[in-house]
Amino acid sequence: MEVPRIVVEPPGPKAREIIREDEKYLATSTKCSPIVAKKAHGAIVWDVDDNVYIDFTSGIGVINTGHTHPRIVNAIKEQVEKLMHFAGTDFYYEIQVRLAKRLTEITPGNFEKKVFYTNSGAESNEAAIKLARWSTMRKRFLAFVGAFHGRTMGALSLTASKVVHRDRFFPMMPGVYHVPYAYCYRCPYKLKYPECDIWCAKIIDEVYFESLIPPDEVAAIFIEPVQGEGGYIVPPAEFVKEVKKIAEKHGILFIDDEVQAGYGRTGKMFAIEHFDVIPDIISLAKAMGSGIPIGAIVFRADLDFGVQGAHSNTYGGNLLACASALATIETIYEEGLIENARKVGDVMKKRLLEMQEKFEPIGDVRGLGLMLATEFVKDRKTKEHAVDLRNEIIKRAYKMGLILLPCGKSAIRYIPPLIINEDLANKGLDVLEEAIKQSIKIKH
Ligand SMILES: Cc1ncc(COP(=O)(O)O)c(C=O)c1O
């Protein structure tokens, strides 16, 4: 089969009709590429006009096992015929216990753990907020500039990647403080790693906890081990370790948001494993269910609410979602998807670095495994963001059959399903290279 294959310039007539209706009936949200998907297998997507695309987005970090993986489809089918819902809030499901046990085994930390099920990343972080407050009886939180933890009011108060997320929604949850993240390409302190001595972490203890925030009132620090929406930013390992050290010094919980970076994406099951740090609470969603909504927090058992009714929900740990989540874990391990993320990730990163040699506007190439990004700049010295160029590249790429998404202010993320092989990854990168070439010719 020819991939990619564009038979009508997207958006084609059927896609345009659906987009028109979507704009009429659905609330405005975040849609940015006019692709109307009809079906997908592996890393290939068909649209309603029969165009065939390579998917470098995985449904925004959800379809790590590849679209409609037969093993996962079968697990869902088997469950759907037996029982779909009976209320995991008030009754018991065997499958919930099996999945929880598996989650406590695969997450870092050699101690007893427990699980609370949710339906999304935001809801996982809401649960983490509540568990942290409940167990520490402290009220305040620390998070990072550039962070994305979700859009519900509690999670939103932790999110700080784009002003549009917060505009008109003030006030949010009080008591949340943001400090700059280790974004070394654009160091907020204009320092250079490693001579900086990880000032961006040390400032938390040496300045913020001395002058603004009483550390013994801080319940938890929320951190993405690799920032996602903020721009696919990989911090130095010392940064993450130093943040954990500061948290431990003050009895503050370390909450690891793996919603986007988890489930094999970075070449380890959880991104935090790159940094040799053990979190107290891990927040999960997205790839956990391979497309069926499910999230969870996995946490130190001693933090548990321990009181019936303190926290709960109707759909958390839904049976179909649990079946999909169990099959997802087994697929990732048994089919070597973590190793594949490392292997194909290396190939892709090498090619992106070669493109950086050729194309002046690629200011930075970064990422781990198959969580990669390039940041586009107008000038490598001033690093002025090349937002229009980035947007043009994405547009040209999908017109040639490669689906991409932006992140940060002027970056593109490359997150194909972890089942992708080198051949298809290279085909996608050929399209990307052509899209960059064409877009650079236009004056931005
Ligand atoms: C790191 C991180 N946390 C939380 C969320 C929120 O997840 P959801 O959209 O499922 O609420 C996202 C979503 O992109 C995310 O990337």
Side-chain angles (χ1 to χ4, degrees):
M1 190 181 64
E2 191 195 335
V3 182
R5 194 187 70 218
I6 297 300
V7 291
V8 42
E9 181 172 326
K14 287 187 185 152
R16 284 201 301 275
E17 178 59 28
I18 292 164
I19 291 166
R20 224 180 354 259
E21 297 265 285
D22 179 294
E23 283 167 0
K24 183 161 173 346
Y25 292 110
L26 269 77
T28 307
S29 91
T30 50
K31 293 182 169 101
C32 62
S33 291
I35 292 164
V36 184
K38 180 173 66 178
K39 65 172 184 175
H41 299 300
I44 299 173
V45 176
W46 284 254
D47 79 3
V48 285
D49 295 291
D50 292 323
N51 292 313
V52 186
Y53 304 84
I54 298 171
D55 180 12
F56 270 13
T57 66
S58 298
I60 319 196
V62 169
I63 313 292
N64 287 11
T65 50
H67 294 277
T68 53
H69 191 297
R71 189 166 175 165
I72 291 155
V73 170
N74 283 338
I76 298 165
K77 274 188 188 161
E78 271 178 31
Q79 184 60 48
V80 78
E81 287 177 355
K82 280 193 271 183
L83 183 63
M84 280 194 269
H85 178 82
F86 196 64
T89 42
D90 296 74
F91 307 106
Y92 296 86
Y93 297 147
E94 189 256 348
I95 199 167
Q96 280 194 347
V97 181
R98 249 192 308 137
L99 175 61
K101 186 160 176 274
R102 200 68 189 99
L103 287 169
T104 63
E105 288 163 358
I106 64 170
T107 44
N110 203 6
F111 41 73
E112 274 191 42
K113 294 173 212 148
K114 283 193 158 190
V115 171
F116 176 82
Y117 291 120
T118 71
N119 304 282
S120 69
E123 204 196 322
S124 294
N125 288 325
E126 294 290 340
I129 290 170
K130 288 180 77 176
L131 185 69
R133 276 197 172 164
W134 178 272
S135 58
T136 62
M137 293 197 281
R138 298 177 178 191
K139 310 273 181 256
R140 303 181 198 241
F141 292 90
L142 213 77
F144 291 92
V145 173
F148 191 90
H149 296 292
R151 297 165 185 274
T152 50
M153 275 311 197
L156 180 61
S157 62
L158 303 163
T159 288
S161 62
K162 290 191 185 75
V163 161
V164 67
H165 300 151
R166 307 181 131 236
D167 202 12
R168 299 203 206 179
F169 296 125
F170 183 83
M172 288 154 239
M173 182 176 77
V176 179
Y177 305 86
H178 287 90
V179 294
Y181 193 74
Y183 188 1
C184 296
Y185 180 63
R186 296 178 186 275
C187 175
Y189 304 104
K190 310 273 184 236
L191 296 172
K192 272 240 155 349
Y193 177 77
E195 297 88 66
C196 62
D197 196 25
I198 309 295
W199 176 239
C200 51
K202 292 190 172 160
I203 196 172
I204 297 172
D205 206 30
E206 293 179 27
V207 177
Y208 287 90
F209 285 175
E210 290 289 329
S211 55
L212 178 69
I213 315 161
D216 59 355
E217 290 185 13
V218 178
I221 298 179
F222 274 80
I223 185 168
E224 290 164 274
V226 177
Q227 267 193 351
E229 307 303 302
Y232 279 39
I233 299 159
V234 186
E238 290 95 317
F239 169 75
V240 185
K241 285 187 186 146
E242 187 63 30
V243 171
K244 174 72 160 100
K245 199 165 110 193
I246 294 165
E248 271 174 12
K249 176 177 164 194
H250 297 288
I252 297 168
L253 298 174
F254 185 99
I255 301 179
D256 166 24
D257 183 338
E258 294 272 349
V259 169
Q260 186 150 174
Y263 272 79
R265 171 62 53 199
T266 62
K268 303 250 185 209
M269 188 60 175
F270 299 103
I272 197 74
E273 295 172 64
H274 288 280
F275 306 110
D276 201 19
V277 160
I278 307 292
D280 301 294
I281 303 174
I282 299 180
S283 179
L284 305 171
K286 284 195 185 279
M288 185 177 170
S290 287
I292 303 284
I294 184 166
I297 50 169
V298 185
F299 54 93
R300 270 176 30 207
D302 61 294
L303 303 176
D304 189 17
F305 298 104
V307 169
Q308 291 277 345
H311 193 50
S312 185
N313 55 17
T314 296
Y315 262 132
N318 165 265
L319 291 159
L320 299 186
C322 283
S324 184
L326 269 168
T328 297
I329 293 172
E330 299 328 326
T331 303
I332 288 176
Y333 284 115
E334 287 171 27
E335 297 189 5
L337 300 192
I338 301 174
E339 294 74 36
N340 197 56
R342 274 201 292 269
K343 196 177 91 192
V344 182
D346 283 350
V347 171
M348 286 186 63
K349 194 168 188 183
K350 188 163 167 278
R351 267 201 76 183
L352 292 171
L353 286 165
E354 283 163 14
M355 287 186 214
Q356 189 183 27
E357 300 269 298
K358 282 191 222 164
F359 304 120
E360 199 59 23
I362 301 184
D364 195 28
V365 174
R366 54 185 179 245
L368 297 170
L370 281 174
M371 186 170 186
L372 298 168
T374 49
E375 182 161 323
F376 292 87
V377 291
K378 291 189 177 170
D379 177 310
R380 283 200 188 174
K381 274 214 176 69
T382 63
K383 297 182 183 174
E384 191 186 336
H385 289 282
V387 182
D388 292 343
L389 174 66
R390 186 271 311 271
N391 294 345
E392 182 70 27
I393 294 167
I394 293 177
K395 197 167 124 194
R396 283 183 181 262
Y398 76 67
K399 283 188 189 292
M400 289 188 278
L402 173 69
I403 310 177
L404 297 171
L405 279 172
C407 65
K409 201 164 173 197
S410 60
I412 298 178
R413 65 184 107 185
Y414 310 101
I415 46 168
L418 310 187
I419 47 90
I420 197 164
N421 60 30
E422 283 182 31
D423 184 44
L424 197 59
N426 272 317
K427 275 190 183 153
L429 290 172
D430 291 341
V431 176
L432 173 71
E433 191 159 348
E434 183 56 32
I436 296 175
K437 231 185 265 167
Q438 291 182 8
S439 305
I440 285 174
K441 282 198 196 125
I442 306 168
K443 202 120 189 82
H444 289 284

